[in-house]
Amino acid sequence: MKMRGARILVPGATGRIGAALVTRLHTLGARPALAGRDADRLAQIAASCAGAPARTFDAWDLDACARTVDWAASELGGLDGVVVCVGVAAFGPASEISDAVAEHLAAVNALAPMAFLRAAAPRLDAGGVLAAVTGVVAEAAPARMADYAAAKAALAAWLTAVRREQRRRGVSVLEINLPHMDTDFADRAVQGEPPGLAPGLPVEEAVQAVVTALSDGARLIRPGTITPLEVVR
C-alpha cells in the first residue's frame, strides 16, 4: 500500500495507539477516517488532521461497526484499508468474571473488530489491508486474564483464516500482536486491577511498525528478538 492518498478507516482513533496512528497516517499523506467513542477527543484529533472525517460508535454495537465502514467509504470515496485499534481488558480469576463482563470482552475485543473487517473486505481491491490489534495475551494466556485473552485469541484465529480467504484477491490481512505498551489501557479495565507491569513499549514503536507493515503488505507484527517489534511478511 502506498501511504500517500490511501483511504484508511481507524476504529479506536481516540485511544493512545489509534490517535498516534491517525496522526502519522495524516503526516504521510494518507486520508484517514476516524471512529471512536469519545466525541470531544475525536473532534480534537480530527481537527489536527486537517478536518479528517470522524464518527462516534460503541464497539458493543456490531451493526454500528458495519455502518461505520459504510460511512467511511462514503466520506473517502472508497476504502484501501481498515486498522482496528479497539480493545478493553478485565483482570481477576475466571470464576469472578461475570457473564456480562465476559460478553462485553468478547464483543469489544473480538466481535467488533470482526464486524468492521467483515464489512470492509468486499470493498477492498488488490493491495488493500485489513488489520486489527490482538496482543501477546492471545498466545500467553496469563492467569487472571482468561476471558480477555480468549477474546484476543479468537480474533487472532479469525484473522488467520480470513488471510487465507483473501490471498487470491490480493488483500493483506495484518495481525498487530503487541506486547505491553506505554498507555493507560490496563488502567481502564472494566473489572479488576492490572498486575504489576514493567514499563511498556513506547507507542511510537507500534505506530512505526504498523506503517511499515501496511506499506509492505505484511501479515504480522510481533515482539522481536533483536528489535522491540518485528514485522513479518
Side-chain angles (χ1 to χ4, degrees), residues 16 20 24 181-182 201-210 229:
R16 286 281 304 280
R24 178 71 67 85
M181 304 297 299
D182 183 18
L201 200 64
V203 169
E204 292 74 17
E205 295 272 3
V207 170
Q208 182 56 51
V210 171
L229 291 173

Side-chain angles (χ1 to χ4, degrees), residues 63-137:
D63 289 338
C65 297
R67 289 195 300 270
T68 299
V69 173
D70 296 336
W71 160 84
S74 176
E75 289 286 328
L76 299 175
L79 279 177
D80 299 303
V82 179
V83 184
V84 185
C85 299
V86 302
V88 66
F91 304 101
S95 59
E96 296 180 8
I97 300 295
S98 69
D99 290 338
V101 169
E103 182 178 12
H104 183 71
L105 293 172
V108 174
N109 293 303
L111 297 179
M114 293 175 191
F116 275 111
L117 300 183
R118 182 181 292 112
R123 294 181 174 274
L124 302 187
D125 296 324
V129 181
L130 301 168
V133 175
T134 58
V136 294
V137 295

Side-chain angles (χ1 to χ4, degrees), residues 16 25 29 34 37 49 65 97 106 112 116 119 136 145 161 163-164 167 175 180 186 191 193 206 208 210 231:
R16 286 281 304 280
L25 291 173
L34 292 60
R37 188 176 183 183
C49 294
C65 297
I97 300 295
F116 275 111
V136 294
M145 300 184 201
R163 183 179 302 116
R164 292 167 179 156
R167 188 171 294 142
E175 178 186 352
H180 171 53
Q191 181 174 324
E193 297 293 328
Q208 182 56 51
V210 171
V231 177

